[in-house]
Amino acid sequence: MSQTAASLREQFPLLAAAPELHYLDSAATAQIHRAALDAVLHHETTSRANVMRGTYRLAEAADRAYGAARQSVARFLNADSADEIVFTSGATAALNLVAHAFGATLRPGDRVLLSVAEHHSNFVPWQMLRDRCGIELALIPVDADGRLDLAHLPELMGSRCRLVAVTQCSNVTGAWTDVAAIVAAARKAGARVLLDGAQAVQHGPQDVQALDVDFYAFSGHKCFGPGGVGVLWGRAEVLAQMPPFHGGGGMIVEVTLQATTWAEAPQRFEAGTPPIAQAVGLAAALEWMMTLDWAAIAEREDRLCRQLIDGLSRIPGLRLLGPLDGKRAPIVSFDMPGLHPHDICQVLDAGNVALRGGHHCAQPLLTALGVDVCTRASIALYNDEADVQALQDGLDHACRELA
Ligand code: PMP
């Protein structure tokens, strides 16, 4: 299959219909692939019914489609079993699920280790748990480039660390986490590891067994699928020990006036009607992703990222945030003293360049980097040199316009 950026771009209806658009905000939401849209439409027009409830043929078709979606996610993550895949409404819901359900197995004084680089969705649920249950939170610091500083991991874990919950890739700096080092230290301390894969999944299929973590969370809208759906993968034996998060239909064996018994995972964690068509659409996106040559895509994304970094570093006064060397995801954030990111984004929008300004739901990381807000460009598989050039031209224009 041809994999030029142009041929990939054509497969995204929104981008195909807007050739003038330079979309550089895929870290917030990637565009949806045609296969995902088609799968949602096909499901809704041929198999729409509730799941795990009906015995008529239409309901059985819905069950089959939903079950097949679970299988696709399991293949995308190289999970041992589809029973380890819990559908949620997104990464945020997946992280809250762990904070509640795994959190319910923690005792006051137990420790959860996070990093300063976390997205708020992997910060706030843990702070809420700390305030409810008296657990301790500890933080892996970051270096001047926003990379996790793992020098003092054993001390940070202490003697009662039960979970290390970190991002696989920063949504601000593009820095990849050294997962192997964290897993090694966590295993020594007897702690579980949760990886927030929200920014990793749009750069290719993942392997939770090779990563050797215990939980993995991501959102469908960041990997070319629909919004409103996400995934929590959990190691079977860990899920088995967790109580439910939400109560409701579909997650029980029996309800009496006195008590309820829980279904096994994954149903135990999917109370209520799940996002059925969205899961089917997500599966189509992941199936498509699994046909791609990711080495070639990574090479192009990396080349564009370097080109962007080179171009930006020539703009007087502009400060690039994040590591400039080593392996990084194609996410480039910068600060222009005196220019507010919202103004920069507005001027660029006039030239059809879509990028993001603000705190990026990572205020602790921005504080550590010495800024309140910044502007972020993120590159995905459908971007090309013209997008990077348009950003650079737009920024030159913004500097003149706003100075
Ligand atoms: N973690 C990271 C690293 C993210 O970038 C995001 C989304 N920006 C999330 C979690 C939360 O994802 P969602 O809003 O789709 O739940």
Side-chain angles (χ1 to χ4, degrees), residues 258-307:
Q258 287 72 37
T260 298
T261 48
W262 320 130
E264 301 290 326
Q267 281 76 23
R268 183 187 305 173
F269 303 106
E270 293 185 356
T273 301
I276 305 164
Q278 292 90 331
V280 170
L282 171 60
L286 300 184
E287 288 291 344
W288 168 73
M289 284 181 76
M290 286 187 273
T291 67
L292 301 178
D293 174 354
W294 284 98
I297 291 170
E299 203 198 314
R300 185 172 59 240
E301 287 181 348
D302 204 43
R303 185 162 33 80
L304 291 176
C305 184
R306 300 280 149 209
Q307 192 182 323

mmCIF file of all heavy atoms in Angstrom, residues 258-307:
data_model
loop_
_atom_site.group_PDB
_atom_site.id
_atom_site.type_symbol
_atom_site.label_atom_id
_atom_site.label_comp_id
_atom_site.label_asym_id
_atom_site.label_seq_id
_atom_site.Cartn_x
_atom_site.Cartn_y
_atom_site.Cartn_z
ATOM 1 N N GLN A 258 -30.540 -7.282 48.996
ATOM 2 C CA GLN A 258 -29.493 -7.054 49.991
ATOM 3 C C GLN A 258 -28.123 -6.748 49.364
ATOM 4 O O GLN A 258 -27.363 -5.949 49.891
ATOM 5 C CB GLN A 258 -29.323 -8.285 50.908
ATOM 6 C CG GLN A 258 -30.445 -8.494 51.915
ATOM 7 C CD GLN A 258 -31.729 -8.985 51.252
ATOM 8 O OE1 GLN A 258 -31.670 -9.780 50.308
ATOM 9 N NE2 GLN A 258 -32.876 -8.511 51.727
ATOM 10 N N ALA A 259 -27.803 -7.400 48.268
ATOM 11 C CA ALA A 259 -26.412 -7.324 47.799
ATOM 12 C C ALA A 259 -26.309 -7.654 46.318
ATOM 13 O O ALA A 259 -27.258 -8.138 45.698
ATOM 14 C CB ALA A 259 -25.562 -8.300 48.609
ATOM 15 N N THR A 260 -25.113 -7.404 45.793
ATOM 16 C CA THR A 260 -24.838 -7.657 44.367
ATOM 17 C C THR A 260 -23.546 -8.456 44.244
ATOM 18 O O THR A 260 -22.594 -8.196 44.988
ATOM 19 C CB THR A 260 -24.673 -6.308 43.624
ATOM 20 O OG1 THR A 260 -25.896 -5.593 43.734
ATOM 21 C CG2 THR A 260 -24.344 -6.494 42.164
ATOM 22 N N THR A 261 -23.532 -9.404 43.322
ATOM 23 C CA THR A 261 -22.258 -10.072 43.016
ATOM 24 C C THR A 261 -21.798 -9.602 41.638
ATOM 25 O O THR A 261 -22.606 -9.379 40.736
ATOM 26 C CB THR A 261 -22.399 -11.611 43.036
ATOM 27 O OG1 THR A 261 -23.549 -11.970 42.267
ATOM 28 C CG2 THR A 261 -22.536 -12.128 44.447
ATOM 29 N N TRP A 262 -20.477 -9.451 41.505
ATOM 30 C CA TRP A 262 -19.911 -8.832 40.297
ATOM 31 C C TRP A 262 -19.634 -9.869 39.218
ATOM 32 O O TRP A 262 -19.184 -10.977 39.509
ATOM 33 C CB TRP A 262 -18.581 -8.130 40.595
ATOM 34 C CG TRP A 262 -18.466 -7.369 41.872
ATOM 35 C CD1 TRP A 262 -17.462 -7.470 42.788
ATOM 36 C CD2 TRP A 262 -19.350 -6.370 42.373
ATOM 37 N NE1 TRP A 262 -17.673 -6.607 43.822
ATOM 38 C CE2 TRP A 262 -18.832 -5.916 43.591
ATOM 39 C CE3 TRP A 262 -20.544 -5.810 41.902
ATOM 40 C CZ2 TRP A 262 -19.448 -4.940 44.354
ATOM 41 C CZ3 TRP A 262 -21.158 -4.845 42.669
ATOM 42 C CH2 TRP A 262 -20.609 -4.416 43.866
ATOM 43 N N ALA A 263 -19.782 -9.418 37.984
ATOM 44 C CA ALA A 263 -19.326 -10.224 36.841
ATOM 45 C C ALA A 263 -17.796 -10.211 36.813
ATOM 46 O O ALA A 263 -17.156 -9.400 37.480
ATOM 47 C CB ALA A 263 -19.881 -9.625 35.556
ATOM 48 N N GLU A 264 -17.238 -11.109 36.009
ATOM 49 C CA GLU A 264 -15.783 -11.100 35.798
ATOM 50 C C GLU A 264 -15.418 -9.898 34.919
ATOM 51 O O GLU A 264 -16.274 -9.314 34.257
ATOM 52 C CB GLU A 264 -15.357 -12.379 35.055
ATOM 53 C CG GLU A 264 -15.694 -13.675 35.770
ATOM 54 C CD GLU A 264 -14.835 -13.885 37.020
ATOM 55 O OE1 GLU A 264 -13.663 -13.470 36.993
ATOM 56 O OE2 GLU A 264 -15.354 -14.439 38.003
ATOM 57 N N ALA A 265 -14.106 -9.585 34.857
ATOM 58 C CA ALA A 265 -13.620 -8.588 33.892
ATOM 59 C C ALA A 265 -13.774 -9.183 32.479
ATOM 60 O O ALA A 265 -13.677 -10.406 32.341
ATOM 61 C CB ALA A 265 -12.151 -8.281 34.164
ATOM 62 N N PRO A 266 -14.005 -8.400 31.472
ATOM 63 C CA PRO A 266 -14.085 -6.941 31.485
ATOM 64 C C PRO A 266 -15.467 -6.396 31.847
ATOM 65 O O PRO A 266 -15.594 -5.214 32.141
ATOM 66 C CB PRO A 266 -13.729 -6.572 30.040
ATOM 67 C CG PRO A 266 -14.233 -7.740 29.237
ATOM 68 C CD PRO A 266 -14.047 -8.949 30.098
ATOM 69 N N GLN A 267 -16.505 -7.274 31.845
ATOM 70 C CA GLN A 267 -17.869 -6.758 32.072
ATOM 71 C C GLN A 267 -17.972 -6.033 33.419
ATOM 72 O O GLN A 267 -18.719 -5.071 33.552
ATOM 73 C CB GLN A 267 -18.902 -7.892 32.001
ATOM 74 C CG GLN A 267 -19.259 -8.304 30.578
ATOM 75 C CD GLN A 267 -18.172 -9.142 29.931
ATOM 76 O OE1 GLN A 267 -17.372 -9.767 30.622
ATOM 77 N NE2 GLN A 267 -18.118 -9.142 28.606
ATOM 78 N N ARG A 268 -17.229 -6.487 34.413
ATOM 79 C CA ARG A 268 -17.313 -5.862 35.743
ATOM 80 C C ARG A 268 -17.060 -4.351 35.685
ATOM 81 O O ARG A 268 -17.551 -3.594 36.512
ATOM 82 C CB ARG A 268 -16.279 -6.513 36.673
ATOM 83 C CG ARG A 268 -16.340 -5.983 38.092
ATOM 84 C CD ARG A 268 -15.204 -6.513 38.946
ATOM 85 N NE ARG A 268 -15.170 -7.966 38.932
ATOM 86 C CZ ARG A 268 -14.197 -8.694 39.477
ATOM 87 N NH1 ARG A 268 -13.198 -8.094 40.080
ATOM 88 N NH2 ARG A 268 -14.222 -10.004 39.412
ATOM 89 N N PHE A 269 -16.258 -3.962 34.678
ATOM 90 C CA PHE A 269 -15.868 -2.545 34.598
ATOM 91 C C PHE A 269 -16.622 -1.786 33.501
ATOM 92 O O PHE A 269 -16.240 -0.675 33.140
ATOM 93 C CB PHE A 269 -14.354 -2.456 34.385
ATOM 94 C CG PHE A 269 -13.585 -3.170 35.475
ATOM 95 C CD1 PHE A 269 -12.969 -4.390 35.221
ATOM 96 C CD2 PHE A 269 -13.535 -2.647 36.757
ATOM 97 C CE1 PHE A 269 -12.293 -5.064 36.224
ATOM 98 C CE2 PHE A 269 -12.859 -3.315 37.768
ATOM 99 C CZ PHE A 269 -12.234 -4.532 37.512
ATOM 100 N N GLU A 270 -17.644 -2.404 32.952
ATOM 101 C CA GLU A 270 -18.402 -1.751 31.861
ATOM 102 C C GLU A 270 -19.879 -1.626 32.243
ATOM 103 O O GLU A 270 -20.759 -2.164 31.552
ATOM 104 C CB GLU A 270 -18.232 -2.527 30.561
ATOM 105 C CG GLU A 270 -16.814 -2.488 30.018
ATOM 106 C CD GLU A 270 -16.660 -3.157 28.651
ATOM 107 O OE1 GLU A 270 -17.640 -3.731 28.133
ATOM 108 O OE2 GLU A 270 -15.542 -3.098 28.118
ATOM 109 N N ALA A 271 -20.153 -0.931 33.327
ATOM 110 C CA ALA A 271 -21.547 -0.745 33.750
ATOM 111 C C ALA A 271 -22.301 0.089 32.722
ATOM 112 O O ALA A 271 -21.755 1.052 32.179
ATOM 113 C CB ALA A 271 -21.576 -0.044 35.109
ATOM 114 N N GLY A 272 -23.536 -0.290 32.472
ATOM 115 C CA GLY A 272 -24.356 0.480 31.535
ATOM 116 C C GLY A 272 -24.055 0.137 30.091
ATOM 117 O O GLY A 272 -23.190 -0.699 29.805
ATOM 118 N N THR A 273 -24.773 0.786 29.192
ATOM 119 C CA THR A 273 -24.553 0.530 27.760
ATOM 120 C C THR A 273 -23.218 1.118 27.348
ATOM 121 O O THR A 273 -22.978 2.319 27.527
ATOM 122 C CB THR A 273 -25.688 1.173 26.936
ATOM 123 O OG1 THR A 273 -26.924 0.603 27.374
ATOM 124 C CG2 THR A 273 -25.490 0.928 25.449
ATOM 125 N N PRO A 274 -22.326 0.317 26.820
ATOM 126 C CA PRO A 274 -21.005 0.839 26.441
ATOM 127 C C PRO A 274 -21.078 1.608 25.114
ATOM 128 O O PRO A 274 -22.110 1.574 24.437
ATOM 129 C CB PRO A 274 -20.163 -0.435 26.302
ATOM 130 C CG PRO A 274 -21.143 -1.500 25.945
ATOM 131 C CD PRO A 274 -22.448 -1.125 26.581
ATOM 132 N N PRO A 275 -19.997 2.259 24.733
ATOM 133 C CA PRO A 275 -19.962 2.972 23.444
ATOM 134 C C PRO A 275 -19.774 1.958 22.305
ATOM 135 O O PRO A 275 -18.655 1.757 21.817
ATOM 136 C CB PRO A 275 -18.757 3.911 23.588
ATOM 137 C CG PRO A 275 -17.905 3.290 24.629
ATOM 138 C CD PRO A 275 -18.760 2.445 25.510
ATOM 139 N N ILE A 276 -20.864 1.342 21.882
ATOM 140 C CA ILE A 276 -20.775 0.165 20.999
ATOM 141 C C ILE A 276 -20.264 0.538 19.592
ATOM 142 O O ILE A 276 -19.236 0.019 19.142
ATOM 143 C CB ILE A 276 -22.159 -0.528 20.892
ATOM 144 C CG1 ILE A 276 -22.672 -0.872 22.292
ATOM 145 C CG2 ILE A 276 -22.059 -1.786 20.016
ATOM 146 C CD1 ILE A 276 -24.150 -1.209 22.358
ATOM 147 N N ALA A 277 -20.981 1.446 18.937
ATOM 148 C CA ALA A 277 -20.565 1.793 17.567
ATOM 149 C C ALA A 277 -19.179 2.441 17.580
ATOM 150 O O ALA A 277 -18.376 2.235 16.660
ATOM 151 C CB ALA A 277 -21.582 2.735 16.942
ATOM 152 N N GLN A 278 -18.909 3.205 18.643
ATOM 153 C CA GLN A 278 -17.585 3.847 18.735
ATOM 154 C C GLN A 278 -16.491 2.796 18.872
ATOM 155 O O GLN A 278 -15.401 2.930 18.307
ATOM 156 C CB GLN A 278 -17.530 4.796 19.930
ATOM 157 C CG GLN A 278 -18.409 6.018 19.811
ATOM 158 C CD GLN A 278 -19.815 5.773 20.366
ATOM 159 O OE1 GLN A 278 -20.332 4.656 20.355
ATOM 160 N NE2 GLN A 278 -20.438 6.830 20.835
ATOM 161 N N ALA A 279 -16.773 1.725 19.629
ATOM 162 C CA ALA A 279 -15.776 0.659 19.772
ATOM 163 C C ALA A 279 -15.551 -0.031 18.427
ATOM 164 O O ALA A 279 -14.410 -0.361 18.062
ATOM 165 C CB ALA A 279 -16.244 -0.355 20.825
ATOM 166 N N VAL A 280 -16.624 -0.214 17.680
ATOM 167 C CA VAL A 280 -16.510 -0.839 16.354
ATOM 168 C C VAL A 280 -15.688 0.066 15.429
ATOM 169 O O VAL A 280 -14.813 -0.398 14.681
ATOM 170 C CB VAL A 280 -17.924 -1.107 15.777
ATOM 171 C CG1 VAL A 280 -17.862 -1.515 14.316
ATOM 172 C CG2 VAL A 280 -18.639 -2.181 16.617
ATOM 173 N N GLY A 281 -15.936 1.379 15.501
ATOM 174 C CA GLY A 281 -15.172 2.320 14.691
ATOM 175 C C GLY A 281 -13.703 2.346 15.097
ATOM 176 O O GLY A 281 -12.803 2.374 14.250
ATOM 177 N N LEU A 282 -13.468 2.319 16.401
ATOM 178 C CA LEU A 282 -12.081 2.296 16.891
ATOM 179 C C LEU A 282 -11.364 1.051 16.368
ATOM 180 O O LEU A 282 -10.222 1.123 15.901
ATOM 181 C CB LEU A 282 -12.057 2.314 18.427
ATOM 182 C CG LEU A 282 -10.701 2.071 19.079
ATOM 183 C CD1 LEU A 282 -9.681 3.128 18.651
ATOM 184 C CD2 LEU A 282 -10.826 2.070 20.609
ATOM 185 N N ALA A 283 -12.056 -0.087 16.426
ATOM 186 C CA ALA A 283 -11.435 -1.336 15.953
ATOM 187 C C ALA A 283 -11.053 -1.221 14.481
ATOM 188 O O ALA A 283 -9.967 -1.666 14.077
ATOM 189 C CB ALA A 283 -12.397 -2.506 16.166
ATOM 190 N N ALA A 284 -11.904 -0.579 13.679
ATOM 191 C CA ALA A 284 -11.593 -0.427 12.251
ATOM 192 C C ALA A 284 -10.342 0.436 12.081
ATOM 193 O O ALA A 284 -9.476 0.148 11.241
ATOM 194 C CB ALA A 284 -12.780 0.187 11.520
ATOM 195 N N ALA A 285 -10.245 1.509 12.894
ATOM 196 C CA ALA A 285 -9.060 2.372 12.815
ATOM 197 C C ALA A 285 -7.805 1.576 13.194
ATOM 198 O O ALA A 285 -6.765 1.668 12.534
ATOM 199 C CB ALA A 285 -9.228 3.577 13.733
ATOM 200 N N LEU A 286 -7.911 0.770 14.244
ATOM 201 C CA LEU A 286 -6.734 0.011 14.705
ATOM 202 C C LEU A 286 -6.360 -1.065 13.684
ATOM 203 O O LEU A 286 -5.169 -1.305 13.437
ATOM 204 C CB LEU A 286 -7.004 -0.615 16.075
ATOM 205 C CG LEU A 286 -7.331 0.369 17.208
ATOM 206 C CD1 LEU A 286 -7.483 -0.372 18.533
ATOM 207 C CD2 LEU A 286 -6.270 1.461 17.333
ATOM 208 N N GLU A 287 -7.368 -1.704 13.089
ATOM 209 C CA GLU A 287 -7.085 -2.715 12.057
ATOM 210 C C GLU A 287 -6.331 -2.067 10.896
ATOM 211 O O GLU A 287 -5.381 -2.631 10.370
ATOM 212 C CB GLU A 287 -8.375 -3.373 11.550
ATOM 213 C CG GLU A 287 -9.040 -4.320 12.548
ATOM 214 C CD GLU A 287 -8.246 -5.612 12.801
ATOM 215 O OE1 GLU A 287 -7.340 -5.935 12.006
ATOM 216 O OE2 GLU A 287 -8.513 -6.277 13.828
ATOM 217 N N TRP A 288 -6.786 -0.851 10.521
ATOM 218 C CA TRP A 288 -6.092 -0.133 9.444
ATOM 219 C C TRP A 288 -4.651 0.193 9.878
ATOM 220 O O TRP A 288 -3.704 -0.023 9.128
ATOM 221 C CB TRP A 288 -6.863 1.150 9.105
ATOM 222 C CG TRP A 288 -6.087 2.079 8.224
ATOM 223 C CD1 TRP A 288 -5.818 1.908 6.885
ATOM 224 C CD2 TRP A 288 -5.441 3.292 8.606
ATOM 225 N NE1 TRP A 288 -5.061 2.950 6.420
ATOM 226 C CE2 TRP A 288 -4.813 3.815 7.454
ATOM 227 C CE3 TRP A 288 -5.341 3.999 9.806
ATOM 228 C CZ2 TRP A 288 -4.088 5.005 7.479
ATOM 229 C CZ3 TRP A 288 -4.615 5.181 9.823
ATOM 230 C CH2 TRP A 288 -4.005 5.675 8.669
ATOM 231 N N MET A 289 -4.509 0.659 11.108
ATOM 232 C CA MET A 289 -3.163 1.000 11.584
ATOM 233 C C MET A 289 -2.234 -0.209 11.524
ATOM 234 O O MET A 289 -1.050 -0.085 11.223
ATOM 235 C CB MET A 289 -3.224 1.534 13.025
ATOM 236 C CG MET A 289 -3.741 2.966 13.126
ATOM 237 S SD MET A 289 -3.753 3.540 14.849
ATOM 238 C CE MET A 289 -2.010 3.878 15.124
ATOM 239 N N MET A 290 -2.815 -1.382 11.796
ATOM 240 C CA MET A 290 -1.962 -2.589 11.832
ATOM 241 C C MET A 290 -1.495 -3.011 10.442
ATOM 242 O O MET A 290 -0.676 -3.913 10.326
ATOM 243 C CB MET A 290 -2.691 -3.728 12.558
ATOM 244 C CG MET A 290 -2.731 -3.517 14.070
ATOM 245 S SD MET A 290 -3.394 -4.930 14.984
ATOM 246 C CE MET A 290 -5.146 -4.613 14.975
ATOM 247 N N THR A 291 -2.010 -2.365 9.370
ATOM 248 C CA THR A 291 -1.533 -2.705 8.017
ATOM 249 C C THR A 291 -0.390 -1.780 7.585
ATOM 250 O O THR A 291 0.171 -1.960 6.511
ATOM 251 C CB THR A 291 -2.667 -2.549 6.974
ATOM 252 O OG1 THR A 291 -3.010 -1.153 6.859
ATOM 253 C CG2 THR A 291 -3.899 -3.373 7.344
ATOM 254 N N LEU A 292 -0.064 -0.770 8.371
ATOM 255 C CA LEU A 292 0.881 0.261 7.914
ATOM 256 C C LEU A 292 2.340 -0.090 8.214
ATOM 257 O O LEU A 292 2.628 -0.877 9.121
ATOM 258 C CB LEU A 292 0.533 1.604 8.579
ATOM 259 C CG LEU A 292 -0.880 2.138 8.307
ATOM 260 C CD1 LEU A 292 -1.107 3.446 9.068
ATOM 261 C CD2 LEU A 292 -1.115 2.336 6.815
ATOM 262 N N ASP A 293 3.227 0.542 7.441
ATOM 263 C CA ASP A 293 4.665 0.372 7.665
ATOM 264 C C ASP A 293 5.103 1.468 8.642
ATOM 265 O O ASP A 293 5.395 2.599 8.247
ATOM 266 C CB ASP A 293 5.384 0.510 6.321
ATOM 267 C CG ASP A 293 6.895 0.490 6.473
ATOM 268 O OD1 ASP A 293 7.392 0.478 7.632
ATOM 269 O OD2 ASP A 293 7.589 0.487 5.436
ATOM 270 N N TRP A 294 5.143 1.129 9.920
ATOM 271 C CA TRP A 294 5.393 2.142 10.950
ATOM 272 C C TRP A 294 6.831 2.626 10.983
ATOM 273 O O TRP A 294 7.099 3.758 11.420
ATOM 274 C CB TRP A 294 4.926 1.641 12.316
ATOM 275 C CG TRP A 294 3.438 1.728 12.344
ATOM 276 C CD1 TRP A 294 2.543 0.720 12.120
ATOM 277 C CD2 TRP A 294 2.659 2.927 12.501
ATOM 278 N NE1 TRP A 294 1.263 1.218 12.133
ATOM 279 C CE2 TRP A 294 1.305 2.567 12.370
ATOM 280 C CE3 TRP A 294 2.967 4.259 12.726
ATOM 281 C CZ2 TRP A 294 0.260 3.487 12.458
ATOM 282 C CZ3 TRP A 294 1.939 5.188 12.823
ATOM 283 C CH2 TRP A 294 0.604 4.797 12.686
ATOM 284 N N ALA A 295 7.753 1.812 10.476
ATOM 285 C CA ALA A 295 9.142 2.288 10.451
ATOM 286 C C ALA A 295 9.235 3.458 9.473
ATOM 287 O O ALA A 295 9.859 4.490 9.762
ATOM 288 C CB ALA A 295 10.072 1.146 10.045
ATOM 289 N N ALA A 296 8.568 3.317 8.321
ATOM 290 C CA ALA A 296 8.602 4.394 7.315
ATOM 291 C C ALA A 296 7.879 5.638 7.849
ATOM 292 O O ALA A 296 8.340 6.766 7.651
ATOM 293 C CB ALA A 296 7.959 3.912 6.024
ATOM 294 N N ILE A 297 6.766 5.428 8.524
ATOM 295 C CA ILE A 297 6.019 6.578 9.060
ATOM 296 C C ILE A 297 6.835 7.293 10.134
ATOM 297 O O ILE A 297 6.929 8.520 10.166
ATOM 298 C CB ILE A 297 4.645 6.127 9.596
ATOM 299 C CG1 ILE A 297 3.760 5.693 8.427
ATOM 300 C CG2 ILE A 297 3.966 7.242 10.397
ATOM 301 C CD1 ILE A 297 2.481 5.007 8.841
ATOM 302 N N ALA A 298 7.473 6.512 11.008
ATOM 303 C CA ALA A 298 8.281 7.116 12.073
ATOM 304 C C ALA A 298 9.416 7.941 11.478
ATOM 305 O O ALA A 298 9.727 9.039 11.963
ATOM 306 C CB ALA A 298 8.839 6.026 12.990
ATOM 307 N N GLU A 299 9.975 7.415 10.379
ATOM 308 C CA GLU A 299 11.083 8.143 9.756
ATOM 309 C C GLU A 299 10.588 9.492 9.217
ATOM 310 O O GLU A 299 11.233 10.524 9.406
ATOM 311 C CB GLU A 299 11.648 7.280 8.618
ATOM 312 C CG GLU A 299 13.070 7.626 8.278
ATOM 313 C CD GLU A 299 13.426 7.083 6.923
ATOM 314 O OE1 GLU A 299 13.102 5.895 6.646
ATOM 315 O OE2 GLU A 299 14.000 7.842 6.136
ATOM 316 N N ARG A 300 9.406 9.486 8.577
ATOM 317 C CA ARG A 300 8.888 10.745 8.035
ATOM 318 C C ARG A 300 8.496 11.710 9.163
ATOM 319 O O ARG A 300 8.815 12.901 9.121
ATOM 320 C CB ARG A 300 7.699 10.503 7.108
ATOM 321 C CG ARG A 300 7.249 11.808 6.452
ATOM 322 C CD ARG A 300 6.212 11.640 5.369
ATOM 323 N NE ARG A 300 5.026 10.998 5.860
ATOM 324 C CZ ARG A 300 4.547 9.850 5.396
ATOM 325 N NH1 ARG A 300 5.179 9.221 4.441
ATOM 326 N NH2 ARG A 300 3.445 9.340 5.891
ATOM 327 N N GLU A 301 7.825 11.179 10.183
ATOM 328 C CA GLU A 301 7.422 12.044 11.298
ATOM 329 C C GLU A 301 8.651 12.673 11.949
ATOM 330 O O GLU A 301 8.650 13.848 12.313
ATOM 331 C CB GLU A 301 6.630 11.237 12.335
ATOM 332 C CG GLU A 301 5.224 10.866 11.874
ATOM 333 C CD GLU A 301 4.426 10.081 12.930
ATOM 334 O OE1 GLU A 301 5.009 9.610 13.932
ATOM 335 O OE2 GLU A 301 3.217 9.923 12.733
ATOM 336 N N ASP A 302 9.692 11.873 12.056
ATOM 337 C CA ASP A 302 10.917 12.358 12.686
ATOM 338 C C ASP A 302 11.575 13.439 11.832
ATOM 339 O O ASP A 302 12.038 14.466 12.351
ATOM 340 C CB ASP A 302 11.866 11.166 12.874
ATOM 341 C CG ASP A 302 12.835 11.440 13.979
ATOM 342 O OD1 ASP A 302 12.396 11.961 15.026
ATOM 343 O OD2 ASP A 302 14.040 11.169 13.791
ATOM 344 N N ARG A 303 11.587 13.206 10.527
ATOM 345 C CA ARG A 303 12.193 14.188 9.619
ATOM 346 C C ARG A 303 11.434 15.518 9.710
ATOM 347 O O ARG A 303 12.029 16.592 9.828
ATOM 348 C CB ARG A 303 12.158 13.631 8.187
ATOM 349 C CG ARG A 303 12.868 14.485 7.168
ATOM 350 C CD ARG A 303 13.184 13.716 5.883
ATOM 351 N NE ARG A 303 12.231 12.700 5.506
ATOM 352 C CZ ARG A 303 11.064 12.913 4.892
ATOM 353 N NH1 ARG A 303 10.701 14.142 4.596
ATOM 354 N NH2 ARG A 303 10.264 11.914 4.569
ATOM 355 N N LEU A 304 10.105 15.445 9.703
ATOM 356 C CA LEU A 304 9.296 16.674 9.786
ATOM 357 C C LEU A 304 9.522 17.383 11.120
ATOM 358 O O LEU A 304 9.599 18.606 11.198
ATOM 359 C CB LEU A 304 7.811 16.344 9.617
ATOM 360 C CG LEU A 304 7.382 15.876 8.227
ATOM 361 C CD1 LEU A 304 5.913 15.489 8.227
ATOM 362 C CD2 LEU A 304 7.646 16.947 7.178
ATOM 363 N N CYS A 305 9.642 16.586 12.174
ATOM 364 C CA CYS A 305 9.855 17.140 13.507
ATOM 365 C C CYS A 305 11.184 17.895 13.552
ATOM 366 O O CYS A 305 11.265 19.021 14.061
ATOM 367 C CB CYS A 305 9.807 15.994 14.518
ATOM 368 S SG CYS A 305 9.952 16.531 16.201
ATOM 369 N N ARG A 306 12.235 17.282 12.971
ATOM 370 C CA ARG A 306 13.566 17.943 12.944
ATOM 371 C C ARG A 306 13.491 19.235 12.133
ATOM 372 O O ARG A 306 14.047 20.257 12.522
ATOM 373 C CB ARG A 306 14.622 17.033 12.296
ATOM 374 C CG ARG A 306 14.832 15.735 12.990
ATOM 375 C CD ARG A 306 15.739 15.860 14.219
ATOM 376 N NE ARG A 306 15.315 14.863 15.183
ATOM 377 C CZ ARG A 306 15.414 14.945 16.488
ATOM 378 N NH1 ARG A 306 15.958 16.009 17.059
ATOM 379 N NH2 ARG A 306 14.990 13.993 17.288
ATOM 380 N N GLN A 307 12.791 19.153 10.990
ATOM 381 C CA GLN A 307 12.651 20.323 10.125
ATOM 382 C C GLN A 307 11.953 21.455 10.889
ATOM 383 O O GLN A 307 12.369 22.604 10.830
ATOM 384 C CB GLN A 307 11.798 19.893 8.928
ATOM 385 C CG GLN A 307 11.746 20.857 7.776
ATOM 386 C CD GLN A 307 10.822 20.292 6.687
ATOM 387 O OE1 GLN A 307 10.786 19.092 6.442
ATOM 388 N NE2 GLN A 307 10.060 21.165 6.054
#
